[in-house]
Amino acid sequence: MYDFNYHKPSSIDEAIQLFTDLEDAVYLAGGHTLLPSLKLRLAAPTDVIDLAGIPGLNGIDYSGDDLKVGALTPHDDVSTSPVVQSVIPALASLAGGIGDAQVRNRGTIGGSVANSDPAADYPAAVLGLGAQLVTNQRTLNADEFFTGMFETALEEGELLKEIRFPKPEAAAYVKYPNPASRYATVGVFMTKTSEGVRVAITGAAPSVFRATDMEAALNADFSEAALDGISLDADMMNEDLHASAEYRAHLCVVMAKRAISQI
Amino acid sequence: MAEQSIGKSVLRKEDMRFITGKGQYTDDVNLRGQTYGYFVRSPYAHADVGEIDVSAAAGMPGVVAILTGKQVAEDEIGGLPCGWMIHSKDGSEMKQPLHPVMAGSKVNYVGEPVALVVAESFVEAKNAAEMVSVDYSERDAVVSVTDAQSAPVIHEDAPANTCYEWELGEKASTEEAIASAAHVTTYELTNNRLIPNAMEPRAAIADFNPATEDLTLYTTSQNPHLVRLILTAFIQLAPEHKLRVIAPDVGGGFGSKIFVYSEETALAWASMKLGLPIKWTAERSESFLADAHGRDHVTTAQLGLDAEGRFVGLKVKTTANMGAYLSTFASSVPTYLYGTLLAGQYKTPNIYVEVDSVFTNTAPVDAYRGAGRPEATFLLERIVELAARETGRDPAELRRINMIQPDEFPYQTPVALEYDIGDYEASLNRALKMADYDTFADRRAASEAKGKLRGIGFSCYIEACGLAPSKVAGELGAGVGLWESGEVRVNPTGSVTVLTGTHSHGQGHETTFAQLVASRFGISVDDVEVVHGDTGKLDFGLGTYGSRSLAVGGSALAKAADKVVEKGRLIAAHLLDEDAEKIDFEDGEYRVKDSNQAKTFQEIAFAAYVPHDYPLEDLEPGLAEKAFYDPGNFTYPAGTHICEVEIDPDTGVVEIDRFTAVDDFGTIINPMIVEGQVHGGIAQGIGQALLEGCVYDDMGQLQTGSYMDYCMPRADDLPSFAVGMTSTPCTHNPVGAKGCGEAGAIGSPPAVINAVTDAVGVPDITMPATPEKVWRAIATADKNAA
């Protein structure tokens, strides 16, 4: 990696001030996208602002209506939390299926969500559960948060503080991993709520998205058979060495059915 | 103390240092005043190289020197030689285009070194390398093996991009046999290109001492003496006695560290030029781009059968990819390590094989675990499977009726080899039993009941190891002899230091060879130390590849140890005042026959080095012996692999439910180490069959240049293997060993693909059989069934 200046602020305000003042700064959460990019010299920021010194960004709380997860909470904490396991077991299970033990001990939910990697798992849970995303400035709905490949509604310098997941009636996450990278080639987060079914799919397209045709069919009849006539448009799918667009579109339906079978 | 350790699973002596981080790998070596090298590599697969502007880079902090391919040419260094001459069918010599140490006026693959930046730190070298400006004029790249012979020429001295057009066997009789066969099975296949991926990347440190003119090269090599020979005799960097090559702990090779590469050669040259030690350690991205790759064949084959199912003829036409240049042993892999194996375990009377080797704008291709033999086995065991299906025969029984029988050895194949011994049916029968073949139909029904597909696949492989009788190798074009050296030094206290010209980079030689020697002396394995990997300490040796170390290197050590025993007998005879022929050596004691008069091995050793009571007039003091062993034939490990898979038809994901391997490696010294070798080989074979595939795009850019895209097998991709052994000891070496390092990678890929295609109900799925390919094949099979 190229040399950079390292900063470890102790408050959000300090972090944002640094970000504003410095020439080409980036935030560092768990670092699982940033550090490989730095090592491969694909990213060359002048300054790295490590958020690890800011208190209050790491933790799990279910004292109110929503399950609140701090942005710097590592995947392993979510995966092994008795609270998460009891309130939204699908979320704990998703977190336990990210990467390997080392990744889960360092990678954070906020880092993953703010990065909006098309193959990341967490965006499917955030969108599938209809979570709210609390930043230093405002609260965003999941439906307005993910805007494209590696793009979100976060403004320059805006910091994600917390994610609030409403407790669903039931939920399940099923993924088909890329055999090499083990990222999601297709991951389907299926949620039943009092307001209907939400189906969020990651990996398949440039950004996580809701499969609205599936939702409509499942609102009418929540069964695997209800998806038999559904086919997703391969033209909107990603394509790589391991999975064509057509195969991805097919896997979306297969994984959705498997998610239904788990609910 | 008497101890018989042959056949015991002695824990590996080397593991404590490996698993506690105390190994000493090349990158762990640091020399005073050391500088760091970083290579500027071509971003293009095929381009003319214009001016190289180093002015900006030269001014960067820490930069010591920047050397280019043009300076290599000016100094008349190189090119890198290929050590095996192949002749085409018309008698002409293979084409050997210049393989420059660093590219001169043209680059021919992505990753080819163009310049070497030497700086005071790694980061400074890398930073400066980014500032070297090279004026490239890109040309169209030749990437496809099948189109290479009609594509634009890469090397002026290799028309039609062809290195050689080789043949083996009888063309006319084979064509006749196939023409008159009751059934002919035709098979077209691609043997997928692989990237070796040793755990330790390649690395080197070159250290020239201008005062003594000694050059020391630490390098990640499987055969340090060969590196010394090539750098001195062929590239003429230094006189042979002034170059010391040290290959310390090496973290895996799988063939990729046999070869002499550009990087260590450039480093040695640069160190001599600058008078400084220079270190280079490949980054993983460089390993993907610039380690020699493996396999990469396109083949068409026909197998003729008579009405009873007996094979009457096999005709094969293969095009093999050499990559951009001939790597050290590249030419031998698709010829004498491939065509000669096409008889397999069978009595096919007529075999003819043609191999065209072609140049492309891709990284050089050379030996990779199995080297030619996996390609031969895959072809043969796939086409035999297809023949069984097409003629409605049980695949195990078709193999059985064609097998060479135990009483037919020695068996001369139609493709040059003479098998010394084997019992192929014994392995087949044992494997069928271990795999519960009788009840396969029940398991298939159970899978179908839950909506899954189940299939079973066989592979009855043979390989040729113990490279090789030097005379035969020489006649076939090898540039070196292929014997091995060994030295057994008994120390005055009776402990033993063993020196071998083979090299251990994960195989456990420090344990196996210690067992071999300890058992001959009746001493503890703990009292034997094995030394390897340093031309400054050892006699010339040929190194480790082709599963040769125990069969050839172990045989040299056995001979040396036997010489020690005989000298000890003479010393014992003196001390016991008895004729030597009346003294037995057993369990670590020299004993007068029918008496209790005895001297221990340790007492004899002491007497040899403190010769106060010693027959000095007749016998030299000391107790150390050397031996050089040249094998009388190849060895022929063989066995049966059976793979059973269950497939999810919705996704095409293949799960290997069972994998059974029964191998005949002859005499086994350490069963645990052998089983470990089999496990590793099968893992790599399953990797080739299901997961691994090197992909270049049409521009010659490597698409699978990291673990994000190149899929290595992981533990959760694999089942627990069921491994069994049969044994017909090798008849022509003193150990009886045949070699076990490559068998797993040779036998397993066709077993896997036979199982997958059996489950799906299609003739073929190209390796790697990824879930999408399997899913599409299932759709094809369903359509055909409808």
Side-chain angles (χ1 to χ4, degrees):
Chain A
M1 58 181 74
Y2 297 109
D3 290 348
F4 54 80
N5 301 310
Y6 174 82
H7 309 269
K8 194 171 183 182
S10 54
S11 71
I12 287 185
D13 288 347
E14 193 189 338
I16 289 167
Q17 193 60 49
L18 282 165
F19 189 91
T20 311
D21 293 347
L22 295 165
E23 182 193 337
D24 180 15
V26 291
Y27 292 126
L28 170 68
H32 275 70
T33 300
L34 180 61
L35 292 182
S37 306
L38 292 173
K39 284 182 175 176
L40 290 168
R41 298 189 159 194
L42 297 172
T46 57
D47 296 82
V48 170
I49 305 168
D50 185 354
L51 305 176
I54 303 173
L57 292 180
N58 179 348
I60 293 162
D61 172 36
Y62 188 55
S63 53
D65 290 343
D66 292 341
L67 176 70
K68 297 174 182 170
V69 182
L72 287 192
T73 310
H75 309 327
D76 190 65
D77 287 7
V78 175
S79 155
T80 58
S81 158
V83 173
V84 180
Q85 286 171 356
S86 125
V87 179
I88 315 178
L91 182 62
S93 155
L94 175 149
I98 299 173
D100 51 29
Q102 290 89 337
V103 168
R104 291 193 290 275
N105 279 314
R106 291 296 305 172
T108 67
I109 188 168
S112 170
V113 169
N115 190 45
S116 186
D117 187 317
D121 295 297
Y122 264 131
V126 169
L127 187 62
L129 289 163
Q132 300 215 298
L133 300 110
V134 182
T135 77
N136 60 308
Q137 300 173 13
R138 54 186 169 152
T139 299
L140 289 152
N141 289 321
D143 284 306
E144 60 186 335
F145 185 81
F146 299 102
T147 55
M149 186 181 280
F150 298 110
E151 284 178 10
T152 68
L154 289 172
E155 288 170 7
E156 192 72 6
E158 186 174 4
L159 263 181
L160 187 59
K161 286 166 62 180
E162 183 178 274
I163 302 173
R164 296 179 177 167
F165 295 98
K167 179 174 165 47
E169 289 175 6
Y173 179 66
V174 178
K175 76 168 154 181
Y176 172 92
N178 176 314
S181 70
R182 303 286 171 97
Y183 275 89
T185 296
V186 168
V188 175
F189 202 100
M190 174 82 57
T191 311
K192 269 179 99 170
T193 73
S194 56
E195 287 152 35
V197 176
R198 292 173 69 98
V199 182
I201 302 182
T202 190
S207 171
V208 64
F209 65 97
R210 283 176 66 183
T212 48
D213 288 358
M214 285 191 192
E215 291 178 0
L218 294 171
N219 279 327
D221 169 20
F222 191 77
S223 72
E224 292 180 50
L227 299 183
D228 279 345
I230 304 276
S231 63
L232 276 75
D233 182 4
D235 287 346
M236 63 171 282
M237 297 288 155
N238 296 332
E239 193 153 45
D240 59 29
L241 286 173
H242 298 277
S244 67
E246 187 190 356
Y247 183 52
R248 272 192 165 81
H250 165 78
L251 287 174
C252 289
V253 179
V254 174
M255 295 302 130
K257 286 183 176 180
R258 288 185 183 176
I260 291 167
S261 75
Q262 288 186 15
I263 288 177
Chain B
M1 184 195 65
E3 181 171 330
Q4 174 53 263
S5 62
I6 300 275
K8 287 197 180 142
S9 290
V10 176
L11 293 182
R12 295 187 357 149
K13 291 159 71 93
E14 46 270 83
D15 280 349
M16 186 56 84
R17 74 174 191 273
F18 291 154
I19 64 177
T20 58
K22 300 293 184 193
Q24 276 290 309
Y25 298 88
T26 298
D27 191 59
D28 293 322
V29 176
N30 289 294
L31 304 177
R32 186 178 298 171
Q34 171 177 291
T35 61
Y36 294 81
Y38 196 88
F39 287 91
V40 177
R41 294 179 185 276
S42 171
Y44 298 108
H46 199 191
D48 294 305
V49 178
E51 195 179 337
I52 301 178
D53 181 358
V54 302
S55 54
M60 299 276 287
V63 172
V64 174
I66 301 173
L67 303 167
T68 67
K70 292 192 166 69
Q71 286 161 285
V72 172
E74 282 162 17
D75 283 10
E76 296 178 1
I77 300 299
L80 302 173
C82 178
W84 203 299
M85 171 54 70
I86 299 294
H87 289 84
S88 285
K89 9 183 172 186
D90 65 5
S92 62
E93 293 190 343
M94 69 181 185
K95 304 296 189 291
Q96 296 187 73
L98 176 71
H99 184 176
V101 174
M102 292 196 284
S105 58
K106 187 154 151 299
V107 286
N108 291 313
Y109 67 96
V110 172
E112 182 172 359
V114 175
L116 169 63
V117 177
V118 181
E120 286 165 9
S121 74
F122 168 78
V123 171
E124 287 167 328
K126 186 169 179 174
N127 288 345
E130 287 181 358
M131 301 300 289
V132 172
S133 170
V134 184
D135 179 21
Y136 293 104
S137 305
E138 201 177 356
R139 298 187 184 201
D140 287 341
V142 182
V143 179
S144 157
V145 180
T146 41
D147 298 342
Q149 289 173 299
S150 56
V153 168
I154 299 169
H155 303 288
E156 292 301 329
D157 47 354
N161 292 320
T162 300
C163 178
Y164 53 76
E165 294 171 318
W166 177 82
E167 67 178 351
L168 182 67
E170 292 291 330
K171 185 178 187 183
S173 69
T174 302
E175 287 179 344
E176 210 170 289
I178 289 172
S180 58
H183 181 85
V184 177
T185 294
T186 300
Y187 182 38
E188 291 180 17
L189 72 96
T190 298
N191 199 290
N192 46 327
R193 182 176 178 121
L194 303 175
I195 303 178
N197 281 296
M199 196 182 290
E200 179 205 22
R202 287 192 291 120
I205 308 173
D207 179 23
F208 182 68
N209 182 331
T212 62
E213 298 189 338
D214 287 326
L215 174 62
T216 306
L217 177 67
Y218 297 84
T219 184
T220 50
S221 175
Q222 300 178 212
N223 40 1
H225 278 96
L226 197 74
V227 174
R228 191 183 71 175
L229 181 69
I230 288 178
L231 291 183
T232 56
F234 294 93
I235 301 177
Q236 296 177 339
L237 269 178
E240 195 167 8
H241 63 289
K242 298 301 263 181
L243 173 58
R244 178 179 177 189
V245 179
I246 302 171
D249 285 333
V250 173
F254 312 109
S256 70
K257 293 172 182 169
I258 297 172
F259 323 121
V260 176
Y261 286 91
S262 291
E263 289 87 354
E264 60 265 27
T265 309
L267 241 53
W269 164 70
S271 178
M272 294 179 77
K273 218 172 164 65
L274 304 173
L276 290 168
I278 311 171
K279 180 184 210 169
W280 164 79
T281 302
E283 298 185 285
R284 185 57 69 178
S285 306
E286 294 181 277
S287 303
F288 275 100
L289 289 172
D291 284 3
H293 295 176
R295 317 280 191 259
D296 208 352
H297 285 193
V298 175
T299 294
T300 303
Q302 289 178 298
L303 176 68
L305 295 83
D306 70 13
E308 283 75 47
R310 293 196 167 77
F311 307 149
V312 296
L314 175 69
K315 189 181 174 198
V316 176
K317 173 70 196 280
T318 292
T319 308
N321 195 350
M322 296 284 100
Y325 302 103
L326 283 180
S327 174
T328 314
F329 286 111
S331 55
S332 65
V333 176
T335 50
Y336 291 109
L337 297 175
Y338 169 70
T340 51
L341 271 296
L342 288 170
Q345 301 187 352
Y346 311 117
K347 290 184 276 190
T348 316
N350 303 289
I351 301 174
Y352 175 69
V353 51
E354 290 174 284
V355 179
D356 290 358
S357 275
V358 298
F359 294 107
T360 59
N361 292 118
T362 62
V365 179
D366 205 327
Y368 171 61
R369 201 170 193 170
R373 290 153 287 164
E375 294 91 312
T377 304
F378 186 77
L379 156 63
L380 194 58
E381 289 304 295
R382 284 291 295 127
I383 201 166
V384 165
E385 185 78 23
L386 291 171
R389 291 181 197 169
E390 287 171 7
T391 60
R393 290 183 166 86
D394 179 283
E397 291 313 304
L398 180 65
R399 287 173 167 91
R400 187 192 302 279
I401 64 169
N402 282 286
M403 280 176 176
I404 301 158
Q405 295 302 307
D407 61 359
E408 292 173 312
F409 293 100
Y411 180 84
Q412 177 63 52
T413 73
V415 277
L417 298 179
E418 186 186 86
Y419 301 163
D420 64 330
I421 192 167
D423 186 348
Y424 308 140
E425 257 192 283
S427 294
L428 174 64
N429 291 338
R430 179 99 195 273
L432 288 171
K433 194 154 182 280
M434 284 172 62
D436 296 323
Y437 184 49
D438 290 348
T439 52
F440 170 70
D442 300 340
R443 294 191 296 280
R444 174 174 265 177
S447 293
E448 281 170 1
K450 53 179 182 170
K452 300 284 182 72
L453 305 171
R454 183 174 284 264
I456 195 163
F458 299 88
S459 167
C460 298
Y461 75 92
I462 191 164
E463 56 157 330
C465 296
L467 288 165
S470 293
K471 184 167 184 295
V472 175
E475 285 164 4
L476 301 181
V480 289
L482 287 164
W483 45 267
E484 196 45 77
S485 70
E487 182 174 349
V488 175
R489 293 182 190 160
V490 183
N491 301 312
T493 55
S495 68
V496 176
T497 303
V498 167
L499 299 95
T500 173
T502 65
H503 185 275
S504 188
H505 32 279
Q507 294 90 340
H509 293 176
E510 290 169 35
T511 307
T512 301
F513 289 179
Q515 285 179 254
L516 177 70
V517 172
S519 71
R520 275 186 145 69
F521 294 155
I523 62 175
S524 166
V525 172
D526 294 337
D527 290 337
V528 183
E529 192 71 14
V530 176
V531 177
H532 62 93
D534 183 347
T535 65
K537 293 180 181 170
L538 310 169
D539 283 318
F540 197 93
L542 275 306
T544 287
Y545 39 82
S547 305
R548 70 189 296 274
S549 296
L550 183 61
V552 188
S555 292
L557 288 175
K559 280 180 68 179
D562 291 346
K563 288 186 192 175
V564 167
V565 168
E566 289 317 308
K567 184 170 181 184
R569 197 188 309 275
L570 298 178
I571 300 168
H574 172 84
L575 294 175
L576 295 166
D577 198 18
E578 188 53 86
D579 290 341
E581 56 268 25
K582 291 197 176 151
I583 291 176
D584 291 333
F585 182 63
E586 204 175 337
D587 295 338
E589 274 192 344
Y590 289 96
R591 180 176 296 276
V592 178
K593 282 186 209 295
D594 307 321
S595 121
N596 61 0
Q597 292 270 70
K599 291 281 176 191
T600 65
F601 181 73
Q602 290 79 6
E603 287 174 308
I604 297 301
F606 192 78
Y609 288 96
V610 187
H612 297 161
D613 180 12
Y614 193 89
L616 285 165
E617 303 76 31
D618 306 320
L619 205 59
E620 292 172 7
L623 195 54
E625 297 287 347
K626 289 180 180 186
F628 289 72
Y629 175 78
D630 198 83
N633 190 353
F634 292 88
T635 62
Y636 299 99
T640 293
H641 288 194
I642 302 177
C643 178
E644 199 168 314
V645 300
E646 190 174 68
I647 298 176
D648 175 353
D650 293 333
T651 59
V653 169
V654 175
E655 186 195 336
I656 296 180
D657 185 46
R658 298 167 171 224
F659 198 101
T660 307
V662 176
D663 302 289
D664 176 359
F665 299 133
T667 303
I668 286 171
I669 309 290
N670 186 316
M672 176 194 71
I673 288 176
V674 168
E675 202 167 316
Q677 289 279 320
V678 172
H679 284 202
I682 295 172
Q684 278 175 300
I686 290 172
Q688 171 164 29
L690 297 180
L691 305 168
E692 298 181 50
C694 169
V695 179
Y696 284 94
D697 71 10
D698 292 344
M699 307 287 285
Q701 294 291 334
L702 183 64
Q703 300 295 289
T704 49
S706 82
Y707 295 124
M708 294 294 280
D709 291 308
Y710 190 85
C711 187
M712 292 294 285
R714 275 169 269 197
D716 66 352
D717 294 315
L718 307 167
S720 282
F721 306 124
V723 176
M725 303 287 164
T726 58
S727 181
T728 57
C730 172
T731 59
H732 55 77
N733 70 45
V735 182
K738 296 181 178 179
C740 68
E742 297 160 296
I746 292 168
S748 55
V752 176
I753 297 299
N754 285 339
V756 171
T757 53
D758 178 52
V760 174
V762 291
D764 193 30
I765 298 175
T766 309
M767 296 191 292
T770 58
E772 178 164 2
K773 283 188 203 164
V774 173
W775 172 70
R776 289 183 184 281
I778 292 167
T780 305
D782 288 349
K783 202 185 295 173
N784 292 345

